[in-house]
mmCIF file of all heavy atoms in Angstrom:
data_model
loop_
_atom_site.group_PDB
_atom_site.id
_atom_site.type_symbol
_atom_site.label_atom_id
_atom_site.label_comp_id
_atom_site.label_asym_id
_atom_site.label_seq_id
_atom_site.Cartn_x
_atom_site.Cartn_y
_atom_site.Cartn_z
ATOM 1 N N PHE A 200 8.510 -29.117 -3.363
ATOM 2 C CA PHE A 200 7.955 -29.958 -4.492
ATOM 3 C C PHE A 200 6.772 -29.151 -5.140
ATOM 4 O O PHE A 200 5.855 -28.698 -4.359
ATOM 5 C CB PHE A 200 7.401 -31.211 -3.866
ATOM 6 C CG PHE A 200 6.998 -32.198 -4.922
ATOM 7 C CD1 PHE A 200 7.893 -33.029 -5.606
ATOM 8 C CD2 PHE A 200 5.692 -32.292 -5.317
ATOM 9 C CE1 PHE A 200 7.514 -33.932 -6.603
ATOM 10 C CE2 PHE A 200 5.240 -33.185 -6.200
ATOM 11 C CZ PHE A 200 6.076 -33.974 -6.940
ATOM 12 N N ILE A 201 6.813 -28.982 -6.408
ATOM 13 C CA ILE A 201 5.712 -28.356 -7.145
ATOM 14 C C ILE A 201 5.078 -29.425 -7.969
ATOM 15 O O ILE A 201 5.704 -30.194 -8.791
ATOM 16 C CB ILE A 201 6.224 -27.271 -8.055
ATOM 17 C CG1 ILE A 201 7.075 -26.256 -7.267
ATOM 18 C CG2 ILE A 201 5.139 -26.569 -8.792
ATOM 19 C CD1 ILE A 201 6.347 -25.555 -6.241
ATOM 20 N N HIS A 202 3.757 -29.592 -7.802
ATOM 21 C CA HIS A 202 3.060 -30.673 -8.458
ATOM 22 C C HIS A 202 2.963 -30.331 -10.025
ATOM 23 O O HIS A 202 2.945 -29.150 -10.452
ATOM 24 C CB HIS A 202 1.634 -30.741 -7.864
ATOM 25 C CG HIS A 202 1.656 -31.104 -6.445
ATOM 26 N ND1 HIS A 202 1.763 -32.458 -6.093
ATOM 27 C CD2 HIS A 202 1.514 -30.392 -5.328
ATOM 28 C CE1 HIS A 202 1.738 -32.513 -4.746
ATOM 29 N NE2 HIS A 202 1.627 -31.303 -4.206
ATOM 30 N N SER A 203 2.839 -31.435 -10.759
ATOM 31 C CA SER A 203 2.595 -31.143 -12.204
ATOM 32 C C SER A 203 1.131 -31.070 -12.289
ATOM 33 O O SER A 203 0.339 -31.659 -11.671
ATOM 34 C CB SER A 203 3.142 -32.474 -12.884
ATOM 35 O OG SER A 203 2.920 -32.428 -14.344
ATOM 36 N N PRO A 204 0.707 -30.165 -13.335
ATOM 37 C CA PRO A 204 1.517 -29.441 -14.335
ATOM 38 C C PRO A 204 1.923 -28.145 -13.917
ATOM 39 O O PRO A 204 2.324 -27.319 -14.805
ATOM 40 C CB PRO A 204 0.554 -29.393 -15.490
ATOM 41 C CG PRO A 204 -0.784 -29.226 -14.904
ATOM 42 C CD PRO A 204 -0.731 -29.951 -13.555
ATOM 43 N N TYR A 205 1.850 -27.733 -12.643
ATOM 44 C CA TYR A 205 2.088 -26.372 -12.193
ATOM 45 C C TYR A 205 3.605 -26.067 -12.213
ATOM 46 O O TYR A 205 3.947 -24.926 -11.968
ATOM 47 C CB TYR A 205 1.480 -26.119 -10.770
ATOM 48 C CG TYR A 205 0.071 -26.540 -10.696
ATOM 49 C CD1 TYR A 205 -0.362 -27.584 -9.873
ATOM 50 C CD2 TYR A 205 -0.981 -25.943 -11.450
ATOM 51 C CE1 TYR A 205 -1.693 -27.945 -9.778
ATOM 52 C CE2 TYR A 205 -2.330 -26.319 -11.397
ATOM 53 C CZ TYR A 205 -2.636 -27.302 -10.583
ATOM 54 O OH TYR A 205 -3.933 -27.703 -10.481
ATOM 55 N N ASP A 206 4.446 -27.102 -12.363
ATOM 56 C CA ASP A 206 5.886 -26.849 -12.373
ATOM 57 C C ASP A 206 6.264 -25.939 -13.614
ATOM 58 O O ASP A 206 7.287 -25.453 -13.555
ATOM 59 C CB ASP A 206 6.606 -28.190 -12.422
ATOM 60 C CG ASP A 206 6.120 -29.050 -13.638
ATOM 61 O OD1 ASP A 206 5.034 -28.921 -14.090
ATOM 62 O OD2 ASP A 206 6.937 -29.914 -13.992
ATOM 63 N N ARG A 207 5.400 -25.941 -14.631
ATOM 64 C CA ARG A 207 5.635 -24.974 -15.758
ATOM 65 C C ARG A 207 5.538 -23.563 -15.341
ATOM 66 O O ARG A 207 5.995 -22.652 -16.129
ATOM 67 C CB ARG A 207 4.831 -25.290 -16.888
ATOM 68 C CG ARG A 207 5.004 -26.734 -17.452
ATOM 69 C CD ARG A 207 4.384 -26.889 -18.846
ATOM 70 N NE ARG A 207 2.873 -26.718 -18.831
ATOM 71 C CZ ARG A 207 2.020 -27.694 -18.697
ATOM 72 N NH1 ARG A 207 2.503 -29.046 -18.574
ATOM 73 N NH2 ARG A 207 0.776 -27.447 -18.607
ATOM 74 N N LEU A 208 4.858 -23.246 -14.276
ATOM 75 C CA LEU A 208 4.852 -21.885 -13.839
ATOM 76 C C LEU A 208 6.093 -21.289 -13.143
ATOM 77 O O LEU A 208 6.271 -20.109 -12.988
ATOM 78 C CB LEU A 208 3.624 -21.742 -12.765
ATOM 79 C CG LEU A 208 2.319 -22.107 -13.258
ATOM 80 C CD1 LEU A 208 1.301 -22.150 -12.061
ATOM 81 C CD2 LEU A 208 1.820 -21.198 -14.376
ATOM 82 N N ILE A 209 6.901 -22.272 -12.704
ATOM 83 C CA ILE A 209 8.217 -21.822 -12.111
ATOM 84 C C ILE A 209 9.227 -21.523 -13.228
ATOM 85 O O ILE A 209 9.817 -22.417 -13.772
ATOM 86 C CB ILE A 209 8.754 -22.864 -11.112
ATOM 87 C CG1 ILE A 209 7.616 -23.350 -10.130
ATOM 88 C CG2 ILE A 209 9.875 -22.321 -10.311
ATOM 89 C CD1 ILE A 209 6.948 -22.205 -9.370
ATOM 90 N N THR A 210 9.322 -20.250 -13.539
ATOM 91 C CA THR A 210 10.370 -19.835 -14.503
ATOM 92 C C THR A 210 11.605 -19.096 -13.925
ATOM 93 O O THR A 210 11.646 -18.930 -12.724
ATOM 94 C CB THR A 210 9.666 -18.845 -15.502
ATOM 95 O OG1 THR A 210 9.157 -17.678 -14.798
ATOM 96 C CG2 THR A 210 8.533 -19.546 -16.165
ATOM 97 N N HIS A 211 12.459 -18.689 -14.743
ATOM 98 C CA HIS A 211 13.735 -18.119 -14.269
ATOM 99 C C HIS A 211 13.496 -16.724 -13.558
ATOM 100 O O HIS A 211 14.270 -16.350 -12.642
ATOM 101 C CB HIS A 211 14.739 -17.955 -15.386
ATOM 102 C CG HIS A 211 15.359 -19.192 -15.874
ATOM 103 N ND1 HIS A 211 16.370 -19.766 -15.194
ATOM 104 C CD2 HIS A 211 15.066 -19.926 -16.879
ATOM 105 C CE1 HIS A 211 16.710 -20.931 -15.786
ATOM 106 N NE2 HIS A 211 15.897 -21.023 -16.797
ATOM 107 N N ASN A 212 12.422 -16.097 -13.929
ATOM 108 C CA ASN A 212 12.174 -14.679 -13.273
ATOM 109 C C ASN A 212 11.139 -14.831 -12.234
ATOM 110 O O ASN A 212 10.600 -13.788 -11.737
ATOM 111 C CB ASN A 212 11.703 -13.723 -14.334
ATOM 112 C CG ASN A 212 10.382 -14.140 -15.016
ATOM 113 O OD1 ASN A 212 10.037 -15.347 -15.044
ATOM 114 N ND2 ASN A 212 9.634 -13.196 -15.515
ATOM 115 N N ALA A 213 10.776 -16.010 -11.726
ATOM 116 C CA ALA A 213 9.816 -16.197 -10.606
ATOM 117 C C ALA A 213 10.461 -15.804 -9.427
ATOM 118 O O ALA A 213 11.636 -15.800 -9.115
ATOM 119 C CB ALA A 213 9.349 -17.561 -10.513
ATOM 120 N N ILE A 214 9.642 -15.133 -8.485
ATOM 121 C CA ILE A 214 10.014 -14.688 -7.109
ATOM 122 C C ILE A 214 9.191 -15.384 -6.096
ATOM 123 O O ILE A 214 8.014 -15.565 -6.224
ATOM 124 C CB ILE A 214 10.001 -13.132 -7.039
ATOM 125 C CG1 ILE A 214 8.538 -12.709 -7.344
ATOM 126 C CG2 ILE A 214 11.005 -12.406 -7.910
ATOM 127 C CD1 ILE A 214 8.301 -11.111 -7.172
ATOM 128 N N PHE A 215 9.884 -15.670 -4.974
ATOM 129 C CA PHE A 215 9.278 -16.434 -3.793
ATOM 130 C C PHE A 215 9.321 -15.536 -2.678
ATOM 131 O O PHE A 215 10.401 -14.837 -2.419
ATOM 132 C CB PHE A 215 9.935 -17.641 -3.546
ATOM 133 C CG PHE A 215 9.797 -18.758 -4.592
ATOM 134 C CD1 PHE A 215 10.543 -18.744 -5.748
ATOM 135 C CD2 PHE A 215 8.842 -19.763 -4.397
ATOM 136 C CE1 PHE A 215 10.502 -19.717 -6.704
ATOM 137 C CE2 PHE A 215 8.736 -20.721 -5.365
ATOM 138 C CZ PHE A 215 9.549 -20.763 -6.515
ATOM 139 N N TRP A 216 8.226 -15.427 -1.876
ATOM 140 C CA TRP A 216 8.278 -14.656 -0.686
ATOM 141 C C TRP A 216 7.243 -15.328 0.341
ATOM 142 O O TRP A 216 6.363 -16.032 0.083
ATOM 143 C CB TRP A 216 7.775 -13.175 -0.815
ATOM 144 C CG TRP A 216 6.371 -12.910 -1.210
ATOM 145 C CD1 TRP A 216 5.289 -12.716 -0.439
ATOM 146 C CD2 TRP A 216 5.775 -13.005 -2.514
ATOM 147 N NE1 TRP A 216 4.154 -12.509 -1.115
ATOM 148 C CE2 TRP A 216 4.387 -12.722 -2.435
ATOM 149 C CE3 TRP A 216 6.310 -13.312 -3.819
ATOM 150 C CZ2 TRP A 216 3.580 -12.743 -3.533
ATOM 151 C CZ3 TRP A 216 5.421 -13.249 -4.925
ATOM 152 C CH2 TRP A 216 4.101 -12.997 -4.762
ATOM 153 N N ILE A 217 7.465 -15.007 1.653
ATOM 154 C CA ILE A 217 6.716 -15.562 2.713
ATOM 155 C C ILE A 217 5.402 -14.773 2.861
ATOM 156 O O ILE A 217 5.348 -13.610 2.883
ATOM 157 C CB ILE A 217 7.402 -15.542 4.127
ATOM 158 C CG1 ILE A 217 8.691 -16.347 3.929
ATOM 159 C CG2 ILE A 217 6.556 -16.041 5.244
ATOM 160 C CD1 ILE A 217 9.517 -16.270 5.187
ATOM 161 N N ASN A 218 4.262 -15.499 2.846
ATOM 162 C CA ASN A 218 2.943 -14.933 2.841
ATOM 163 C C ASN A 218 2.232 -15.408 4.236
ATOM 164 O O ASN A 218 2.036 -16.608 4.454
ATOM 165 C CB ASN A 218 2.136 -15.381 1.737
ATOM 166 C CG ASN A 218 0.842 -14.604 1.558
ATOM 167 O OD1 ASN A 218 0.267 -14.089 2.608
ATOM 168 N ND2 ASN A 218 0.218 -14.534 0.432
ATOM 169 N N SER A 219 2.040 -14.417 5.074
ATOM 170 C CA SER A 219 1.514 -14.790 6.424
ATOM 171 C C SER A 219 0.032 -15.092 6.360
ATOM 172 O O SER A 219 -0.500 -15.526 7.418
ATOM 173 C CB SER A 219 1.809 -13.624 7.402
ATOM 174 O OG SER A 219 1.120 -12.458 6.969
ATOM 175 N N GLY A 220 -0.635 -14.676 5.255
ATOM 176 C CA GLY A 220 -1.986 -14.945 5.154
ATOM 177 C C GLY A 220 -2.857 -13.767 5.585
ATOM 178 O O GLY A 220 -4.109 -13.764 5.334
ATOM 179 N N VAL A 221 -2.203 -12.760 6.087
ATOM 180 C CA VAL A 221 -2.958 -11.526 6.453
ATOM 181 C C VAL A 221 -2.163 -10.337 5.864
ATOM 182 O O VAL A 221 -0.933 -10.179 6.107
ATOM 183 C CB VAL A 221 -3.155 -11.332 7.993
ATOM 184 C CG1 VAL A 221 -3.842 -10.008 8.236
ATOM 185 C CG2 VAL A 221 -3.903 -12.553 8.632
ATOM 186 N N GLU A 222 -2.832 -9.498 5.056
ATOM 187 C CA GLU A 222 -2.124 -8.316 4.487
ATOM 188 C C GLU A 222 -2.968 -7.021 4.897
ATOM 189 O O GLU A 222 -4.136 -7.023 4.547
ATOM 190 C CB GLU A 222 -2.127 -8.466 3.031
ATOM 191 C CG GLU A 222 -1.269 -9.593 2.471
ATOM 192 C CD GLU A 222 -1.274 -9.691 0.974
ATOM 193 O OE1 GLU A 222 -1.892 -8.899 0.294
ATOM 194 O OE2 GLU A 222 -0.552 -10.634 0.470
#
Side-chain angles (χ1 to χ4, degrees):
F200 183 85
I201 305 298
H202 298 278
S203 179
Y205 310 117
D206 53 337
R207 297 196 296 268
L208 299 173
I209 309 303
T210 59
H211 286 281
N212 64 335
I214 54 177
F215 292 80
W216 70 94
I217 299 176
N218 191 337
S219 61
V221 179
E222 297 180 359

